[in-house]
Amino acid sequence: MSWADRILDDGTDRDRWLRSRLPVIGASDAAKLSKPESVDKYLAAKLAPRTFYGNAATESGHRWEPMMLAWAGIPENKALIHSPAEKGFAATPDGAGETVGAECKAKHGRVVAGPSLGEFRQLAWQFVCVPEFESIEFIWVELIDGDIRPGLNGEPKSLTVTRDHEKIRELTPLILPIATDLLARLRAALEFKKELAL
């Protein structure tokens, strides 16, 4: 069995993908999971009506993402993939080969050395959901006025993150209990909402 056998939604329809993502803990949710005592806050954010559908920065990210993946030679991915152990844990890596994933970021007006703490949580979650990944290529472009900043020869930067990276080993056992609690509460809340609608 490969990750391709665990696709919850193929991502070809954005609205359907968003509906598929509501009852699961995704990588962007996991990026925020830092405090066990804040599960109620994470649940409220998860259940809040979605009002943000992107801005100029996210549009820029969508524009640059295929170029970053092509540069790295990693196939683009839109599919929502669940963990082998728990269907409620899922992720949509930007790129997905058989054993290599990719996460792409557009950094506007910033010079960075690699993933932020939240982005490392996101990567740790992708390893949970897609254990077939031996590594994830974290790829970013540093942009000034919409173009790659001078001095980079028009190329992105990248960092290969393996599952034994110290930040992945540190963050995974911290995220999992919070995510487990959050998922249980999310399922109870969605079930209650369904009963109210009857």
Side-chain angles (χ1 to χ4, degrees):
M1 189 183 208
S2 77
W3 61 259
D5 300 306
R6 300 195 310 277
I7 291 175
L8 292 174
D9 188 279
D10 65 11
T12 53
D13 182 291
R14 177 76 176 167
D15 289 335
R16 189 188 63 213
W17 178 87
L18 287 170
R19 288 193 300 273
S20 299
R21 207 182 156 283
L22 174 62
V24 304
I25 309 304
S28 59
D29 301 316
K32 304 174 186 76
L33 303 184
S34 60
K35 298 178 182 176
E37 63 273 17
S38 296
V39 172
D40 284 342
K41 182 180 80 173
Y42 304 141
L43 179 62
K46 183 79 177 164
L47 293 173
R50 187 171 167 85
T51 56
F52 178 75
Y53 289 94
N55 55 23
T58 54
E59 282 305 309
S60 173
H62 292 316
R63 182 169 69 87
W64 282 95
E65 185 179 298
M67 291 180 258
M68 288 187 263
L69 291 169
W71 175 83
I74 299 172
E76 185 176 25
N77 173 66
K78 298 291 185 190
L80 181 64
I81 305 162
H82 73 78
S83 158
E86 170 57 74
K87 272 196 167 183
F89 293 166
T92 304
D94 294 328
E98 283 186 29
T99 60
V100 177
E103 186 62 28
C104 301
K105 302 291 182 186
K107 305 289 184 178
H108 293 267
R110 286 185 292 154
V111 175
V112 299
S116 66
L117 185 56
E119 288 163 347
F120 264 120
R121 289 191 199 100
Q122 200 171 2
L123 297 175
W125 194 250
Q126 291 183 11
F127 280 120
V128 168
C129 297
V130 194
E132 292 88 348
F133 288 167
E134 294 169 4
S135 64
I136 298 172
E137 204 67 22
F138 184 82
I139 311 162
W140 71 99
V141 286
E142 294 172 357
L143 303 173
I144 296 176
D145 296 327
D147 289 314
I148 294 179
R149 71 176 177 84
L152 295 180
N153 300 315
E155 293 198 349
K157 292 182 173 181
S158 69
L159 176 71
T160 302
V161 179
T162 59
R163 65 177 54 257
D164 62 355
H165 187 286
E166 61 179 346
K167 293 304 286 184
I168 302 301
R169 287 190 287 110
E170 173 194 334
L171 292 169
T172 304
L174 299 176
I175 297 168
L176 276 170
I178 303 173
T180 300
D181 186 8
L182 177 58
L183 180 61
R185 296 191 201 196
L186 176 63
R187 283 173 168 163
L190 292 175
E191 186 59 35
F192 180 68
K193 187 177 178 182
K194 190 192 300 181
E195 288 173 8
L196 283 180
L198 293 176

